[in-house]
Amino acid sequence: MMGDTSGTANNDWIDLYLEASLTTGLSSEYSHQAGRDRGAKPKENPFAAMYANKILKFTADEISYQWHKATSTPHANELDVRREQLSWRMWGVHYRKERVAYLNAKDSSWEKELAESQGPILHEHHEHIHDDYDDTTSGDDDMMTPTPGSERRSPFGNMPALQEGSEPPEGASPRTAAEATDNVTPLPGAPSSRLRSRKSLEVKRSESLLLGQMAPINAEDMHASGDLDAGRGLRVDTARAPSRGLVEALVDPDVPLSPESDHPKDPFANRKEGLYICLISLHGLVRGDKMELGKDADTGGQVKYVVELCRALSLHPAVHRVELLTRLITDPKVADDYGQPEECILKGDPDYELGGAYIVRLPCGDPNVYLRKEKLWAHTREFADAAIQHCTNTLRRLQRAGEPCELYTVHGHYADAGEVASMVASTMASTETGLDMVMTGHSLGRNKLEHLLATGTMTKRDIESTYKIERRIEGEERGLDYATMVFTSTQQEINEQWGLYDGYNVRDAKALRPAAWRQHNGRSMPIMNVIPPGLDFSNLKVDLPEDPNLKGFHGSKPQFVSRKSRQRRTSTDTEEKKEEAVEAGLAPPTPGGDHDSAIGSDAGTPRSDGGRGLLGKSLEGQRSNLAHHMFDIREGQKLEKRPIWQEINRFLHTWKRPAILAMSRPDAKKNITTLVQAFGENPELRQWANLVLVMGNRQDIKGLASGSQKVLNEVLYLIDKHDLYGYVAYPKAHAQSDISDIYSYARYTHGIFVNPALQEPFGLTVIEAAAHGVPTVATQNGGPVDIMKTLHHGVTVDPTNSKQLGDELLKILTNHSAWETMSKNGVKNIHAYSWLAHSRKYLEAMASEKAANAAQKRRQPPGRAQSLDLSHPAGHMGSGRRSSDDSARPGGDKTDVPAQPEAHVAEEVLNAGSDIRGKGRDAFIVVPVDGHHRANAVAAALKKAQETRGVAGGDVGLGIIAMDSFDDVAAWLKEASFDMCEVDWVVANAGADIRHLSSDGASWLDDDKWEEHIDWRWVCKAMGKTLGRVPIEERSASKRHMLLTNVNSADGSKKDFIHQYHLLMGVAEKAQATLDSLAKNGRGLPPTVIMDRLKSNLRKLGYRCQVTLQLVPGPTGWISKAALQPRFHVTPLRASRGLALRFLGHRFGVSLDRFVVLLPAPAVTVNDEEAKIWVSSHCSDLAELVGGQPRIAVALPAKPDPTADADTLSGTDQMAVQRMRVKLSKKLYNERVAWGPAGDDSTLQNILSGLPPVSDGKDI
């Protein structure tokens, strides 16, 4: 020690030694070179050992000062980073040396026994610590080895005394969780193997601090030393700790962890805005409390999952508000709760009005009717429009309330909500920050289709009629198109379920990461992230070990919360603190107590959970909340005290037998009948156990759905067949509060839980059984496989093999040791499925992917301003922004296309909002243009709209949404005597272009913001080359000539250039002849089928785009026998006519319910008796245009257009037109739709007069 030297002089010496140590290579693992040299043979470095020993001779305060200085100075280079790391590690080793000396002084006899027992191995360990330091860094660059010929000293000789009262500098942070929680003191009495193991562990840890990584300490070492308790993490023993000083300061669990800890660097640090997360779950009955799980097929595990996920995410300090969007239901047949627009399920920080977790119910369809999920597909676009409007309003409310937030993620649950989330994210995505869409499938359509077909009980037609399976699969494919990430419960779900989809390929997924999509020519696939769902254990009446994730739940609050928190923390009024604690449902702070852990500090304080037990303000508060909900099962408790037990026992001859428990709704895929069969066919099993079947709630079997009736009748038949009366219980009803008691019944009787589902996506019931200590036998198909590997509390079986199922049940029941082991394993490992762990992994995964996307965007900005010559074999790229109709000359002029002069003005104009006609309008009338042959009907509709728009009583604008180019549409309407200056904006090229009329009517301006928006995941050159290589029939080698050719205008004269964001593909002449030949043989391919195959093939390759079919009359001399010529418009994923409409509404601040789509229908079929019509179309996107919130006015033609009349068409044309027509009905669309003769003004007038009022400007 050099205590006689002044502090300043000592600091200078330490600084000099640190500088010298760094030049020798210490802490070089933090340099870039280390990553390149990883695996190289370490180099000997005797000088580093000398400098390290010099530094360790100073006091802990002097060393800690260097660390504090290093952390307080901005890092200019790698050397500064290494200095910080080295000073910290030196400080840590110094502390370890002092602690070993303290332990040695407490018990010299123990030291002697330890030295004798360890021999030269221990001696050698201390040799490295006290004399020479072997720096095997994580980078494996440099090694400090003993100086040749150095003298070996005693392991415990000449060690400095412990410096009591020394405190670390403010903000000090231990570097690893193991290093931070090692306050273990020697026990009195004779030395033991446990103490020797502990001392040996101390030695290893001391060495590892300087080495930069943990020494190879295995789990056995930790358990032997007592530092690791099973299921609880590192143990802290303060029974014989010395007075508070350096030792206590370093091991204090309240000290926040450093970046080198087990917890990664907080990705949410220093955020100005809070996180606003939007979850969407469309179907079922969703409420926060007293969930009616099992009431119908749509109200099951998914409902519970999304509600608890909503709560859990809101507890993260960086998250300010989480909303679960679902459908508003005012059906008198269901509870009034489902008709409440908003329900707070977890209040956030009391200082902020809008924080917390909420269920938000939005109307779609008739709210007075509860609809099963198969009938909600017609309303997904309507729900998406309502969600866009709601999220926009919420962001404005948060901003006005002083709680600024970023809409961080839109998360769709199940196929319907996945489609909704994709539309919301596509509309609200910002090119500056990005809005990620993620999804969770829960149950997948392709997988269900395979299983239903395998059972042979339903034909494909019956499956489609019952489950709308094709629409569901398409919804899942669309979700994959837009998703940045897909959360799954198991790896099996990825390999065996998502792998069935066109949009995900297990083999290519790693290469085609979204963050690097441009490196793969625009191809991408979503990231599949396995994060098992959590479980709210506070609702279970069981005594569980403390959740180890609790201490690791760190994070940073947004700055607007942190400022107020710091102000509140400076208050010294103890009474005020007590009142706040009481209001939060926590015990008031103990005077002089030290309960403000890192979890409760401003750096990462999870908010109070309203007594729900997920997470309290502090560790003590968490324990208090948990204790309030726990219910210890005691062997002496009487059965009569639990009503549901009495209900079960009334079915049984004797309840003392072990209970084989199954709990699910009566659904065929839950496979309950196989369990009953296994029980009935095994006489020995019947002698050992009772069977308890909890199959939802019922009053009368005949009142249930047909599928449930069938299952229950089959169960009753099997009970009668095998004479199981008195051995099987099947209670009629149970409450949510009874579920834990039901599991406890199986635990009390030493029974088993069974999940025999044919396919179980995850298996929450398997986890719940484990939490209650009930061994489990579960299906081998799905999530239970991974759960069993994690919890080790049971076995999996083939759910279709009743004999195997019965045998496994009997093995566990007759082996008491196996039963006890499985029971204990389930409880011990249960926190692997904690909601705290789930939410942290969830947010960290999203933050990581956002950072990767941002980095990729910085490295490779979007390649704008290009045109593509597909006639060149290499796909030559020009420099023009888009092909201009004036510059692309007939005959194939291949000069570059110049950018239009107005293009650079558009973004500035739209942001200023002053120089374009559409800005400031209250509503819009929109007319679709489907082709040249519809120009006259469109012109008539536009004139009618121009005359009638004043009826709305506001400033109503006009818009056009066209499949063709802007110049083509303008020319057609000019021929039809309509002035384009009456229109405010035009969406052209199937949604690839938006042009705005300037306020003076002198020019048309390109919307550059739209181009930035749709550039996402789009590379024109790669897409064009791929489309030129599509074969007619993949299975026919003789027909592999190309199907499509590029077309750029209506007359086909501009084939040499294509639009940067619009590829117009037609059928090649040779291919058309082949198609006609196939049609003659009865194998005709309708254009709609070709479109579907084209979409499928592009998805399989990883291309994410829109493909829209347009049918136009064939020109004179058209070789095809068909009357209609198919054209396929390929545009970026975010570019379609429907999405452009939503983008404009969002940009102009006009809600979609104030848009009116005036549809000049080419042909209709009217059913006045049922108040519905079938509208024909020449384009496949009609359903997208009429879906959602926009009002629809259909102008019925005086006579049908023969090119759109299914009655006059034949062959593949007829099939295509029938496929693309849309049914509109008063029942489905309510007041949103009206129809009348094309010349009648009343239809449009009625629609306009019925528009909702204009907002007051506060909300959209």
Side-chain angles (χ1 to χ4, degrees), residues 561-574:
V561 175
S562 297
R563 285 193 296 268
K564 184 169 289 190
S565 297
R566 284 194 294 270
Q567 295 170 2
R568 186 169 61 251
R569 194 170 61 248
T570 58
S571 173
T572 58
D573 187 351
T574 305

Side-chain angles (χ1 to χ4, degrees), residues 11 155 189 193 284 325 451 581 589 675 715 858 971 989 1084 1191:
N11 288 331
S193 60
L325 306 187
H451 278 280
L675 174 60
V715 167
R858 288 193 298 269
N989 284 319
R1191 274 42 180 168

Side-chain angles (χ1 to χ4, degrees), residues 697-710:
N697 294 315
R698 65 184 185 277
Q699 293 297 326
D700 187 343
I701 292 180
K702 291 184 178 180
L704 300 176
S706 59
S708 298
Q709 289 187 41
K710 185 176 181 180

Side-chain angles (χ1 to χ4, degrees), residues 529-551:
N529 201 322
V530 180
I531 304 181
L535 191 66
D536 184 3
F537 302 118
S538 66
N539 294 324
L540 305 180
K541 302 171 185 178
V542 292
D543 190 4
L544 298 176
E546 182 181 303
D547 188 351
N549 295 289
L550 191 63
K551 295 181 180 180

Side-chain angles (χ1 to χ4, degrees), residues 851 853-861:
N853 281 323
Q856 177 65 24
K857 187 176 181 180
R858 288 193 298 269
R859 288 194 298 269
Q860 191 171 3

Side-chain angles (χ1 to χ4, degrees), residues 599-619:
I599 293 179
S601 68
D602 176 61
T605 307
R607 296 179 294 275
S608 169
D609 60 358
R612 297 186 185 278
L614 276 173
L615 191 63
K617 272 191 173 179
S618 67
L619 184 59

Side-chain angles (χ1 to χ4, degrees), residues 230-233 305 488-490 530-537 544-550 762-764 766-768 770-771 786-793 824-842:
R232 293 180 180 270
Y305 174 91
T488 71
S489 300
T490 64
V530 180
I531 304 181
L535 191 66
D536 184 3
F537 302 118
L544 298 176
E546 182 181 303
D547 188 351
N549 295 289
L550 191 63
F762 179 61
L764 281 175
V766 176
I767 299 176
E768 289 175 338
D786 287 353
I787 295 173
M788 294 300 181
K789 290 179 181 179
T790 302
L791 300 182
H792 306 289
H793 77 298
K824 292 176 181 179
N825 284 345
V827 175
K828 179 179 68 176
N829 301 320
I830 194 61
H831 287 299
Y833 294 98
S834 161
W835 273 118
L836 298 184
H838 179 93
S839 59
R840 190 179 70 244
K841 293 175 184 176
Y842 179 112

